[in-house]
Amino acid sequence: MLQSPPAIPGMSEHEIDTPALVVDLDAFEYNLDTMAALLAPTGVKLRAHAKTHKSPVIAKLQMVRGAVGNCVQKVAEAEILAWGGIPDILVSNEVVGPAKLSRLCALSRIAKIAVCADDAAQVAAIEAAAADAGIRMTVLVEIDVGASRCGVQPGPDAVALAQRIAASKHLIFGGLQAYHGSAQHKRTPDERRALIGGAVDASRRTVEQLRQQGLDCAIVGGAGTGTFQIEAASGVYTEMQAGSYVFMDADYARNLDESGAPVSTFRHALFVLSTVMSQAQTGIAVLDAGHKAVAVDSGLPTVWKRWDIRYTSAPAEHGKLQYGSETAAPKPGEKLRLIPGHCDPTVDRFDWYVGVRNGRVECLWPVAARGGLS
Amino acid sequence: MLQSPPAIPGMSEHEIDTPALVVDLDAFEYNLDTMAALLAPTGVKLRAHAKTHKSPVIAKLQMVRGAVGNCVQKVAEAEILAWGGIPDILVSNEVVGPAKLSRLCALSRIAKIAVCADDAAQVAAIEAAAADAGIRMTVLVEIDVGASRCGVQPGPDAVALAQRIAASKHLIFGGLQAYHGSAQHKRTPDERRALIGGAVDASRRTVEQLRQQGLDCAIVGGAGTGTFQIEAASGVYTEMQAGSYVFMDADYARNLDESGAPVSTFRHALFVLSTVMSQAQTGIAVLDAGHKAVAVDSGLPTVWKRWDIRYTSAPAEHGKLQYGSETAAPKPGEKLRLIPGHCDPTVDRFDWYVGVRNGRVECLWPVAARGGLS
């Protein structure tokens, strides 16, 4: 069942029940505004990734600042956004099976929907579902620009698949999906430029070969928070799919800028508020937030503004803190903000965002697509 | 919001929408029966840990086979069990803050509730909450038997805290909580015996010192799926807190028995059913279940009965499979069962169990305490 909200608007931050997913609204809005300002001069659009936030509320705040819509990874996420009024949604992923394709086609009656394919049999399956529903579905060809995961090879393979889409009665060829995920977290600008340079070249070559066959790409989409400024300047990409910029996590904060300092474009806006529940051992305190509350796939969380305290291990329901003899022991009942190692899966562990401004709870927003795996 | 159930009772397993949390009901019942049979001759009781399953339905099936009740890690889990009719619940953990303690005291009007403490100030806080609620709360002293996490030191420190509990007007001293978590996953029986031997010695010594002060331990609780047969034979422990035995995960299956073979006491009963969504690259297939669907904190999942296919990486929404040239490539639409590396947090990612027997869906059970972090 849905969990009760851990707070009531108007209460102070230290009254929030923990563990809780807390959004610093000032930092969050700064991030939204900064992304809009950075992309405005490029002519490239933001199609923010909702896999990060899973919230139609946040999707709307992105659109207010110029985003063309959102992308998602799952049909269940697309449903939540469309039901919440988001008008333009790309599933930046393959969707397999007649049941899921029927759901996607049904959604296209209430929002503009597009989906990706990397396989001829899948194109046939989408065509069958669209024909059955009596609609036309926009399909992008996903190309592999370095992730070695999904995607056909750029060039002739991609062109052949695009032609198959364009020749399908109920499908519209929508362009290319060209996302390089692992490039986002390379630590130096040189590493990120090298990988995205390859993605840009592959995309440009494929766009040109498609054009020679009379196929235009309405969308060339990709990029994340780590590299979007490179793709945005490429002249090839038309839509940026950054998601994490709204919150920033500890892992993205380990990326470096040209000067060798941590990238500071965006601010930490997402925290897991946690309470010390035990301080029975010297030099050790235990929080009520372990890996069931804060994702550890991209490293352990860090403790906000308490750089003298390290979060050193995450069992399922406990977070172990260690600190030196110069630090006053955190006492049971004391509340600390954790910066998650990875914001996307951390958000997915909660039912509610608690929006905080000036130390007080301003709003509660549901993590409406939490658990939307299908 | 709550996710829709991914199946309808009566459909065949391959019709289940994915990713889905599938329980092999025959294997699951075998595990329940096996635990009951192993503990029956020892006189030691099972107080199964519900942090694993988060389900009053499964808790009841454990009690039908002789469990005295359940333990949980969080007040939110205790609420779900008590509301679902479970009559005897131990929070095997510290509970901090007046709001949570009030909830716990309220629960004690509908079920027998106990909680742990490792700090004098916390004992005072529980006493205040119990007095305010007009109830008496049973409190166990948590002792540190090797985990270096929560818990006072065994011996005099534990005795002093127990005396403080016993002297509190609204508290009842309930015994000792003495769980050694990291011992559960030591690979060899010798390693597990060595660590649990230390826990047993520390518990025995503390029980005797308490008795000398006139304090009896109604409960000496601890043990998990990896070691419960050692604690059960100790003559000191009275209640076993095993949880994972109901499902068995890939990590527990890496524990070895006396012969050096993987422990085979229990069967794999929990799976994440997943669909191949892309097979665009030679030797690689991609599943629709990444680390948002299957926990990777204790290692990657393995593919059930397809030992020729390896699950080699888990991005958030994709599971990458690799296989040799002798294996026929899994095709998009094909469904595979994954054995999670860690069952507890995998369960916590889903709203529904899908119970399967003889290839057909028999039942849907809610993961009622999913997300119960507080």
Side-chain angles (χ1 to χ4, degrees), chain B:
Chain B
M1 55 182 282
L2 203 65
Q3 294 297 313
S4 312
I8 297 170
M11 66 168 42
S12 67
E13 178 171 337
H14 71 262
E15 293 176 288
I16 299 170
D17 192 31
T18 67
L21 190 66
V22 165
V23 177
D24 176 328
L25 294 168
D26 285 337
F28 166 73
E29 290 165 6
Y30 173 88
N31 292 344
L32 295 177
D33 293 339
T34 298
M35 177 59 86
L38 287 169
L39 288 185
T42 68
V44 166
K45 295 296 183 188
L46 178 66
R47 182 182 291 280
H49 219 307
K51 68 179 178 180
T52 300
H53 57 65
K54 292 180 170 264
S55 160
V57 175
I58 296 177
K60 278 178 195 158
L61 294 175
Q62 291 170 320
M63 293 194 70
V64 164
R65 288 163 178 85
V68 292
N70 274 84
C71 47
V72 298
Q73 295 287 65
K74 299 284 185 166
V75 176
E77 295 170 336
E79 287 172 333
I80 295 294
L81 291 193
W83 296 341
I86 301 304
D88 189 339
I89 302 161
L90 164 66
V91 183
S92 58
N93 205 356
E94 284 66 37
V95 171
V96 172
K100 283 192 176 71
L101 289 171
S102 291
R103 287 160 57 197
L104 201 65
C105 291
L107 270 196
S108 75
R109 298 198 186 272
I110 60 169
K112 188 176 166 192
I113 301 286
V115 67
C116 296
D118 68 357
D119 181 276
Q122 270 306 108
V123 170
I126 304 169
E127 164 65 18
D132 189 52
I135 57 105
R136 293 190 79 197
M137 177 66 69
T138 299
V139 181
L140 278 66
V141 170
E142 180 165 11
I143 58 173
D144 176 20
V145 291
S148 296
R149 194 166 71 186
C150 300
V152 294
Q153 291 309 300
D157 288 357
V159 173
L161 198 60
Q163 288 174 317
R164 190 177 283 262
I165 294 166
S168 299
K169 189 172 167 195
H170 298 85
L171 305 185
I172 299 163
F173 171 65
L176 297 178
Q177 171 68 16
Y179 175 64
H180 196 315
S182 57
Q184 305 307 314
H185 303 273
K186 295 294 175 188
R187 296 307 178 214
T188 71
D190 282 348
E191 290 172 292
R192 296 194 293 273
R193 269 193 295 267
L195 291 175
I196 298 303
V200 168
D201 289 347
S203 300
R204 178 177 290 121
R205 180 162 45 92
T206 308
V207 167
E208 285 169 9
Q209 291 176 16
L210 285 163
R211 193 173 295 140
Q212 288 162 14
Q213 301 301 319
L215 291 170
D216 286 329
C217 291
I219 296 174
V220 180
T225 295
T227 69
F228 72 94
Q229 287 168 290
I230 311 172
E231 285 97 333
S234 68
V236 177
Y237 282 81
T238 67
E239 291 188 354
M240 301 291 95
Q241 298 175 350
S244 298
Y245 78 97
V246 294
F247 295 142
M248 282 298 286
D249 52 39
D251 191 50
Y252 263 123
R254 286 186 276 267
N255 276 8
L256 305 177
D257 65 18
E258 300 294 342
S259 75
V263 165
S264 58
T265 313
F266 301 105
R267 297 182 181 167
H268 289 298
L270 185 84
F271 305 93
V272 172
L273 189 69
S274 180
T275 302
V276 177
M277 48 177 274
S278 170
Q279 201 283 305
Q281 322 249 344
T282 305
I284 293 173
V286 181
L287 290 175
D288 62 0
H291 69 68
K292 280 185 183 169
V294 59
V296 298
D297 58 279
S298 300
L300 294 171
T302 54
V303 187
W304 174 243
K305 290 194 172 169
R306 288 301 300 269
W307 319 120
D308 56 328
I309 301 176
R310 287 169 305 120
Y311 186 111
T312 57
S313 79
E317 293 94 359
H318 300 83
K320 191 165 173 177
L321 302 178
Q322 294 187 262
Y323 46 90
S325 55
E326 69 288 357
T327 294
K331 286 276 170 282
E334 186 171 342
K335 290 181 179 171
L336 297 170
R337 283 181 173 188
L338 301 175
I339 306 171
H342 192 179
C343 47
D344 299 24
T346 299
V347 166
D348 203 37
R349 283 153 160 78
F350 289 87
D351 287 323
W352 297 95
Y353 288 106
V354 182
V356 169
R357 201 187 310 266
N358 299 324
R360 293 185 68 196
V361 175
E362 181 174 299
C363 58
L364 292 164
W365 295 334
V367 183
R370 184 213 56 72
L373 295 165
S374 78

Side-chain angles (χ1 to χ4, degrees), chain A residues 75-155:
Chain A
V75 176
E77 295 170 335
E79 287 171 334
I80 295 293
L81 291 193
W83 296 341
I86 301 304
D88 189 339
I89 303 161
L90 164 65
V91 183
S92 59
N93 204 355
E94 284 65 37
V95 172
V96 171
K100 283 193 177 70
L101 289 171
S102 291
R103 287 160 57 197
L104 201 65
C105 290
L107 271 195
S108 75
R109 298 197 187 274
I110 60 170
K112 188 175 167 192
I113 302 286
V115 66
C116 296
D118 66 358
D119 180 278
Q122 270 306 107
V123 170
I126 304 169
E127 165 65 18
D132 188 52
I135 58 102
R136 293 190 80 197
M137 177 66 68
T138 299
V139 181
L140 277 67
V141 170
E142 180 165 10
I143 59 173
D144 176 20
V145 291
S148 296
R149 194 166 72 184
C150 301
V152 294
Q153 291 308 301

Side-chain angles (χ1 to χ4, degrees), chain A residues 44 176 199-205 207-208 217 219-221 231-240:
Chain A
V44 166
L176 297 178
V200 167
D201 289 346
S203 300
R204 178 178 288 118
R205 180 162 46 90
V207 167
E208 284 169 9
C217 291
I219 297 174
V220 179
E231 284 97 333
S234 68
V236 177
Y237 281 80
T238 67
E239 291 187 354
M240 301 290 96

